[in-house]
């Protein structure tokens, strides 16, 4: 049978299990961040935040320890780092945050957020400080007032040393093996510029002397923090030291055709040490296909996009870098267009016989000075004359433009005029633009041959009604000579067209939309193109598009869990539909029609009710809401499946070891919404070893009704060390199996690597990994008043555990014969590790609060002692608490503040008094990080002043009478 747990006590096989409510077990989340990985220091900052220091390139590992029931969801986020670092563009939804080879840009504040829907989310943060030290760089400069080509003529030389680091770097200068300090040499001055303090160190050589020509070393150091070694750089100063100079063996500019291979050659003409040559481009980076070899940059098959300024830069850290540049121009012609200007003094849109007509032609040319134009009429060259005037527009007003002015237009001027653009030297395809001038009779006296555009919408094409998913064609009839291109756009709002652009072109006036959607409903504008051959106002028209679509309903899908005999109400609501005036509904169960009808004008929802659910009522219900365009569907899955159980993770020490090769685990859970369906009669438990396929299953029967919030427990035994197991728990009702929950059970050694809190109430046989000392005289006994031997000694010992429960367990020493006065029984805790706060050991030991309840009743009570036992201590144990004599028939509490400096154990020692009425009992042993807080006012103590470990301890003895039950 499953056992119910209230707090930490187990009530066995009770017919009515109501010891717990959801308020007892459900708890909002709490968060604590622990660290591992390769931290070189972790320190507290203002008692509110920890600072985690790590060396660049090491592994950052932070774990978020959470408590709370149901199990909180965990999310890691980051702020306060580099703007370019986006934390891998996502948050981490995992307990452990692991960043391998951490970089300096990944430093900042990391937050762990846990939430389970109860109360406010719990948030903790830790600041990660990444330490690094780059190689220093030495640059050399001469005094500006006396600049000459070579430094050995100069009287003053400056050597500047710079290194990027965190924490701030310290510099030192050496000349050969000689350490240079301020004042050690009159010809040397060492200082930091005011505006760069801490960032650079300058060595000033005044009145340059022969001995100043030497090897200078700059050593950058961060004092070995995080194990980062010092870094150094050497610069050799000679009488030949000089800044770089270079020469480009190319013309400027370089004009090439697309597809050519271009090579730029740069050579050094001076500089000591020998300069290093690099190439940079005005396009932010060199082309991907470019090749650099020495001082030569090769650009194969160059394109127009690769045109720009290319610079050769020479640097040797002496003086300023030398830079020479050249411009590469890639010849090109593109974007040809034309327009026609009627007589500017005539108000009619038509161009007429006897009037002047101007045809303008424009292209974009690179380089613009190579652009040439020619004009053809009907394929034959046209020369400038008195009536056919060919001109080129001023480049500053309208670059790349030519004009053909036809003076006094005649019938003989009709034909095709061609504007041809080319670049001198050839190699680039010409651009030609044709303009057709044709004739049309216009009464009574005018001859019209160019007709401005006109737009109309065909009858019946607006409004245009379509169904969602159809292909539609919006149409505008266009006329005019020449026939213009039509531009389509939204007229009712600033929104993109179906292809994502703001405008779409059409040559025949038709806009075709495939798979039209409801969002496309609205007004569409058709408009003549701006460059349609006429200098007239664009024409436009509007087409209305109405897209019909099936009803949108909610819920699309809903699972409804209910027990037999209870009512079920299902509601399907219409959110929107077009058309909405004709709506009807039908309710079905597995394609069987249950009910049908039409919507009222005032209602937007329909209901279906099951008055008393039976087995035939389980299944999938659908509500179809129908209009002309189709149907929307609400789906309801009516089921008797139980909700999943919720594993309880906050049990203290749920794992125990009872034999050398196997271990056990106390599995605990609550049931989500147990009253939503029929009573849960059992749980199916499945367990399999990680990495294996086979599941082992068994049923755990449940008697009575499970209340909301009741905690159930089942002991898993015979688990093999050190394997992990996957555990699956499934509730079973009259309906059948409900939803399952899975968790992983992981073996851990009996050591707490990072102690948070430890609690033991001795309810399980393994007694929380406490052990009996093999060198004492007798053992402590695990006991329950409900199972106490009838021959027990009266007038001593407790009548129940510390909460007053007769079913609860505690530990006590039995002082009846054959025990004699002075015999000792010692109970030893598991080992607890102390995490150091810095890599060099613990200089400020952390505090832990060790607490327990004791019962010392009887006229022969002896002594109860508590010891701290630390690894590596010359004195093996230190007494931290002691009490002797009769303390009355009641449980009292003791708390002791300890400061261990190494892995430690606590030992509880009971010593028999002069007679048999001397049973001593203990219960609810706790160990928590931090000082003991809020001690009750009733205090007394008895601690030997001669203990050699008193300097490690702050002792708070709290003995409180517990009135009533826990």
């Amino acid at each position: 049978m499953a056992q119910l747990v209230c707090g930490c006590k187990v009530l066995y096989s009770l017919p009515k299990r109501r010891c717990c409510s959801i308020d007892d077990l459900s708890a909002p989340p709490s968060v604590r961040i622990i660290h591992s990985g390769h931290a070189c220091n972790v320190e507290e900052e203002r008692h509110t935040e920890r600072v985690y220091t790590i060396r660049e390139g090491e592994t950052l590992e932070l774990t978020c320890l959470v408590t709370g029931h149901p199990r909180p969801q965990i999310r890691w986020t980051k702020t306060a780092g580099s703007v370019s670092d986006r934390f891998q563009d996502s948050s981490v939804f995992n307990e452990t945050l692991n960043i391998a080879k951490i970089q300096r840009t990944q430093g900042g504040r990391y937050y762990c957020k846990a939430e389970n829907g109860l109360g406010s989310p719990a948030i903790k943060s830790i600041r990660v400080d990444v330490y690094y030290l780059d190689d220093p760089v030495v640059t050399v400069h001469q005094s500006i007032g006396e600049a000459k080509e070579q430094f050995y003529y100069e009287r003053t030389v400056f050597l500047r040393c710079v290194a990027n680091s965190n924490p701030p770097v310290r510099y030192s200068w050496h000349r050969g093996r000689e350490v240079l300090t301020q004042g050690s040499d009159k010809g040397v001055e060492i200082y930091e510029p005011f505006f760069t303090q801490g960032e650079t160190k300058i060595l000033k050589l005044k009145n340059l002397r022969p001995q100043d020509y030497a090897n200078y070393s700059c050593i950058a150091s961060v004092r070995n923090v995080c194990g980062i070694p010092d870094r150094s750089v050497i610069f050799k100063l000679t009488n030949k030291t000089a800044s770089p100079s270079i020469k480009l063996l190319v013309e400027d500019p370089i004009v090439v055709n697309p597809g050519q291979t271009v090579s730029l050659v740069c050579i050094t003409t001076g500089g000591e040490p020998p300069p290093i040559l690099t190439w940079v481009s005005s396009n932010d980076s060199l082309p991907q296909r470019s090749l650099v070899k020495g001082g030569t940059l090769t650009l194969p098959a160059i394109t127009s996009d690769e045109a720009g300024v290319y610079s050769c830069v020479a640097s040797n850290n002496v003086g300023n870098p030398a830079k020479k540049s050249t411009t590469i121009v890639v010849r090109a012609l593109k974007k040809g267009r034309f327009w026609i200007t009627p007589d500017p003094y005539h108000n009619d849109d038509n161009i007429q016989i006897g009037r002047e007509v101007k045809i303008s032609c424009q292209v974009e040319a690179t380089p613009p000075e190579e652009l040439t134009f020619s004009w053809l009429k009907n394929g034959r060259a046209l020369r400038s004359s008195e009536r056919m005037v060919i001109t080129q527009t001023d480049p500053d007003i309208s670059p790349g433009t030519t004009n053909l002015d036809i003076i006094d237009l005649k019938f003989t001027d009709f034909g095709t005029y061609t504007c041809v653009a080319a670049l001198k030297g050839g190699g680039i395809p010409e651009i030609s633009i044709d303009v057709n001038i044709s004739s049309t009779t216009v009464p009574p006296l005018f001859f019209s041959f160019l007709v401005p555009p006109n737009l109309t919408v065909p009858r019946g094409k607006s409004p245009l009604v379509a169904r969602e998913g159809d292909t539609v064609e919006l149409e505008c009839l266009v006329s005019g000579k020449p026939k213009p291109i039509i531009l389509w756009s939204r007229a009712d709002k600033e929104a993109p067209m179906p292809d994502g652009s703001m405008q779409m072109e059409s040559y025949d006036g038709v806009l075709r939309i495939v798979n039209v959607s409801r969002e496309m409903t609205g007004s569409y504008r058709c408009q003549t193109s701006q460059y349609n051959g006429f200098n007239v106002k664009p024409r436009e028209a509007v087409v209305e598009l109405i897209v019909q679509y099936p009803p949108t309903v909610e819920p699309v899908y809903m699972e409804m869990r209910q027990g037999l005999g209870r009512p079920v109400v299902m509601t399907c609501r219409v959110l929107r539909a077009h058309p909405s005036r004709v709506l009807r509904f039908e309710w079905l169960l597995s394609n069987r029609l249950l009910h049908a009808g039409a919507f009222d004008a005032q209602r937007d929802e329909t209901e279906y009710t099951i008055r008393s659910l039976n087995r035939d009522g389980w299944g999938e219900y659908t509500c179809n809401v129908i209009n002309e365009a189709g149907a929307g569907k609400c789906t309801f899955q009516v089921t008797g499946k139980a909700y999943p159980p919720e594993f309880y993770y906050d049990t203290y020490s749920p794992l125990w070891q009872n034999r050398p090769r196997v271990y056990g685990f106390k599995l605990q859970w609550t049931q989500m919404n147990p009253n939503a369906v029929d009573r849960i009669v059992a749980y199916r438990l499945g367990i399999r070893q990680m990495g294996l396929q086979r599941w082992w299953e068994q049923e755990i029967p449940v008697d009575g009704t499970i209340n909301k919030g009741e905690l159930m427990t089942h002991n898993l035994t015979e688990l093999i060390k050190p394997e992990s197991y996957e555990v699956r728990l499934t509730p079973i009702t009259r309906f059948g199996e409900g939803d399952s929950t899975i968790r992983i059970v992981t073996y851990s050694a009996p050591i707490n690597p990072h102690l948070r809190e430890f609690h033991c109430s001795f309810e399980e046989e393994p007694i929380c990994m406490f052990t009996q000392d093999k060198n004492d005289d007798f053992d402590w006994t695990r006991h329950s008043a409900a199972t106490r031997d009838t021959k027990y000694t009266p007038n001593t010992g407790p009548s129940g555990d510390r909460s007053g429960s007769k079913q609860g367990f505690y530990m006590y020493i039995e002082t009846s014969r054959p025990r004699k006065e002075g015999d000792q029984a010692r109970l030893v805790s598991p080992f607890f590790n102390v995490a150091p706060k810095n890599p060099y050991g613990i200089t400020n030991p952390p505090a832990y609060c060790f607490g327990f309840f004791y019962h010392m009743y009887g006229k022969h009570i002896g002594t109860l002692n508590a010891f701290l036992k630390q690894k590596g201590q010359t004195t093996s144990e230190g007494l931290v608490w002691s009490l002797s004599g009769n303390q009355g028939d009641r449980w009292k509490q003791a708390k002791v503040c300890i400061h261990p400096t190494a892995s430690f154990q606590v030992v509880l020692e009971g010593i028999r008094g002069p007679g048999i009425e001397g049973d001593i009992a203990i219960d609810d042993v706790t160990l928590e990080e931090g000082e003991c807080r809020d001690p009750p006012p009733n205090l007394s103590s008895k601690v030997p002043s001669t203990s050699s470990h008193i300097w490690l301890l702050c002792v708070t003895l709290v003995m409180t009478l517990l009135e009533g039950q826990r």
Side-chain angles (χ1 to χ4, degrees), residues 251-536:
E251 297 178 352
D252 184 32
I254 303 172
V255 181
V256 296
N257 289 332
Q260 284 186 233
T261 296
V262 180
S263 293
L264 307 179
V265 180
C266 178
I267 61 172
T268 59
T269 57
E272 179 63 31
I276 297 174
L277 298 178
T278 57
W279 282 93
V280 295
S281 168
S282 59
N283 298 326
D284 295 332
S285 61
L286 294 176
Q288 191 173 0
R289 297 176 293 111
S290 62
L291 303 173
V292 178
K293 186 176 182 180
T296 301
L297 170 64
T298 302
L299 305 173
I302 196 168
T303 65
S304 297
D305 293 337
E306 296 169 349
V309 178
Y310 289 79
S311 302
C312 175
V313 181
S315 176
N316 65 352
N317 292 339
V318 178
N320 295 319
K323 182 178 180 180
K324 296 286 185 179
S325 302
T326 186
T327 302
I328 297 179
V329 178
V330 180
R331 304 167 81 235
L333 285 173
K334 54 186 177 180
K335 294 185 179 179
R337 65 187 184 93
F338 80 95
W339 62 94
I340 301 173
T341 305
D343 183 353
Y345 301 103
H346 199 280
N347 294 326
D348 197 284
D349 286 334
N350 293 340
I351 301 173
Q352 301 172 355
I353 295 295
R355 300 291 185 180
E356 178 182 344
V357 176
K358 178 188 286 187
I359 305 174
S360 301
C361 174
Q362 185 182 56
V363 297
E364 292 184 11
T366 306
E369 60 270 16
E370 290 191 9
L371 177 62
T372 61
F373 285 107
S374 59
W375 285 89
L376 306 176
K377 178 183 178 183
N378 297 327
R380 300 180 63 182
L382 189 65
R383 297 177 179 272
S384 185
S385 64
E386 290 185 359
R387 245 182 21 88
M388 297 282 184
V389 180
I390 299 173
T391 59
Q392 196 119 346
T393 304
D394 187 341
D396 294 332
I397 300 175
S398 181
T401 304
T402 183
N403 305 299
L404 172 62
D405 282 281
I406 305 175
I407 310 298
D408 187 18
L409 184 66
K410 301 181 182 296
F411 292 105
T412 56
D413 295 329
F414 300 157
T416 299
Y417 290 83
T418 304
C419 166
V420 180
L423 293 179
K424 296 176 183 177
I428 302 298
E430 297 175 340
I431 289 181
S432 60
I433 303 169
D434 293 336
V435 181
N436 293 310
I437 297 180
S438 59
S439 60
T440 301
T441 302
V442 179
L445 301 174
F446 300 106
F447 192 79
S448 172
F449 62 94
L450 291 175
V451 181
N454 186 37
L455 281 178
T456 58
V457 178
R459 180 175 298 178
K461 291 294 185 177
S462 181
L464 183 65
V465 180
R467 290 190 177 182
E468 195 168 40
D470 289 350
T471 297
V472 299
E473 291 185 348
L474 308 186
E475 186 175 356
C476 282
L477 296 178
V478 58
S479 62
K481 293 185 180 181
K483 192 174 183 179
I485 295 174
I486 301 302
L487 300 178
W488 285 92
S489 60
R490 294 295 293 261
D492 53 345
K493 56 184 176 180
E494 284 290 329
M497 297 293 286
D499 67 348
S501 64
M502 298 305 292
Q503 279 189 337
M504 293 177 65
E505 290 186 354
S506 171
Y507 291 92
D508 57 0
V510 176
L511 174 63
R512 182 181 176 88
I513 304 176
V514 179
N515 193 24
V516 68
S517 65
R518 64 193 68 179
E519 293 80 12
M520 297 177 186
T521 294
S523 302
Y524 289 78
R525 178 189 298 111
C526 59
Q527 185 179 45
T528 56
S529 173
Q530 183 178 0
Y531 303 113
N532 58 9
F534 292 87
N535 190 15
V536 295

Side-chain angles (χ1 to χ4, degrees), residues 838-910:
N838 62 63
Y840 309 109
I842 298 178
T843 58
N844 185 20
Y848 295 93
C849 184
F850 170 52
F852 57 92
F853 285 82
Y854 62 90
H855 189 281
M856 300 173 68
Y857 169 55
K859 64 182 179 180
H860 300 140
I861 290 294
T863 302
L864 178 61
N865 295 322
F867 296 93
L868 176 68
K869 185 178 181 180
Q870 302 189 76
K871 274 189 176 181
Q873 297 289 339
T874 55
T875 304
S876 60
E877 294 179 359
L879 181 64
V880 297
W881 186 90
S882 181
L883 191 63
S884 301
N886 185 3
Q887 303 298 316
D889 188 10
R890 57 198 174 204
W891 286 95
K892 298 180 180 181
Q893 187 181 26
K895 286 188 177 181
V896 182
C897 180
I898 60 176
H899 292 86
T901 58
S903 298
F904 67 96
Q905 295 170 288
V906 289
V907 181
L908 290 165
E909 178 185 74

Side-chain angles (χ1 to χ4, degrees), residues 652-964:
Y652 298 116
S653 304
L655 182 145
W656 71 89
Q657 306 177 58
N658 46 16
R659 294 207 300 275
R661 296 186 179 181
V662 298
Y663 68 99
F665 188 87
K666 180 162 63 176
L667 194 68
Q668 293 180 297
W669 70 93
T670 60
Q671 177 60 43
M672 181 190 296
N673 300 332
N675 300 320
V677 295
D678 294 326
R679 185 180 70 84
I680 294 172
V681 297
Y683 285 93
R684 177 165 289 116
L685 174 68
I687 183 170
R688 71 171 177 179
Q689 185 176 320
M690 297 296 289
L692 302 182
Q693 297 297 319
R694 185 174 181 180
W695 285 86
W696 296 92
E697 291 189 339
Q698 71 175 93
E699 281 198 3
I700 306 172
V702 176
D703 290 340
T705 300
I706 299 175
N707 293 324
K708 188 174 183 180
E710 287 184 338
L711 186 63
M712 286 160 283
T713 182
H714 179 81
N715 290 334
L716 304 177
T717 58
E718 304 299 322
L719 305 179
I720 301 172
K721 297 178 184 178
E723 301 296 336
S724 297
Y725 291 84
E726 186 175 4
V727 179
R728 181 178 62 207
L729 196 62
T730 308
I732 301 173
T733 64
R734 286 189 292 176
F735 174 84
E737 292 190 354
D739 290 337
S740 300
T741 299
I742 291 178
R743 71 163 293 176
I744 305 299
V745 172
T746 304
Y747 171 77
S748 59
I751 295 177
N752 292 355
H754 302 287
L755 177 65
R756 177 169 53 102
E757 51 188 9
F758 173 86
H759 183 275
C760 182
S761 56
F762 305 111
E763 299 305 321
E764 301 293 338
E765 184 61 41
I767 60 173
C768 314
M769 297 178 285
F770 274 87
T771 57
Q772 307 281 357
D773 193 329
K774 297 179 180 179
N775 299 318
D776 57 9
D777 302 308
F778 67 111
D779 288 343
W780 288 79
T781 302
R782 178 174 173 266
H783 201 63
S784 170
T787 58
R788 185 164 58 185
D789 194 324
T790 56
K791 297 180 181 180
Y792 75 95
T793 306
N795 302 319
T796 189
S799 58
D801 71 354
R802 79 99 178 167
S803 69
S805 170
K806 293 187 180 297
Q807 285 79 26
F809 285 84
Y810 55 87
M811 301 295 290
Y812 86 109
I813 59 170
E814 175 57 63
T815 57
S816 301
R817 293 180 179 84
R819 301 278 69 83
K820 58 183 181 294
E821 185 175 5
D823 282 357
Q824 299 176 350
R826 291 165 56 85
L827 193 64
V828 184
S829 78
F831 266 107
F832 300 104
N833 278 358
V834 177
K837 292 193 174 185
N838 62 63
Y840 309 109
I842 298 178
T843 58
N844 185 20
Y848 295 93
C849 184
F850 170 52
F852 57 92
F853 285 82
Y854 62 90
H855 189 281
M856 300 173 68
Y857 169 55
K859 64 182 179 180
H860 300 140
I861 290 294
T863 302
L864 178 61
N865 295 322
F867 296 93
L868 176 68
K869 185 178 181 180
Q870 302 189 76
K871 274 189 176 181
Q873 297 289 339
T874 55
T875 304
S876 60
E877 294 179 359
L879 181 64
V880 297
W881 186 90
S882 181
L883 191 63
S884 301
N886 185 3
Q887 303 298 316
D889 188 10
R890 57 198 174 204
W891 286 95
K892 298 180 180 181
Q893 187 181 26
K895 286 188 177 181
V896 182
C897 180
I898 60 176
H899 292 86
T901 58
S903 298
F904 67 96
Q905 295 170 288
V906 289
V907 181
L908 290 165
E909 178 185 74
I911 303 177
R912 187 190 189 267
I916 63 172
E917 295 181 22
D919 293 354
I920 298 175
I922 59 172
D923 198 2
D924 285 348
V925 179
T926 60
L927 189 63
E928 300 178 352
E929 271 191 355
E931 304 283 351
C932 296
R933 294 168 296 186
D934 301 327
N938 182 22
L939 303 175
S940 63
S941 63
K942 181 182 177 183
V943 181
S945 59
T946 57
S947 171
S948 61
H949 287 260
I950 293 303
W951 65 276
L952 288 173
L953 314 169
C954 69
V955 180
T956 304
L957 308 178
V958 181
M959 295 170 285
T960 305
L961 175 62
L962 297 178
E963 299 177 357

Side-chain angles (χ1 to χ4, degrees), residues 562-568 589 592 610-619 621 638-640 678 734-735:
Q562 190 60 280
L564 293 175
R566 303 177 189 175
V568 179
L589 172 59
R592 177 168 60 91
I610 304 172
R611 289 188 174 86
S612 179
L613 182 65
N614 56 34
R615 292 181 180 273
D616 294 334
W618 283 325
Y621 291 77
V638 179
T639 176
D678 294 326
R734 286 189 292 176
F735 174 84

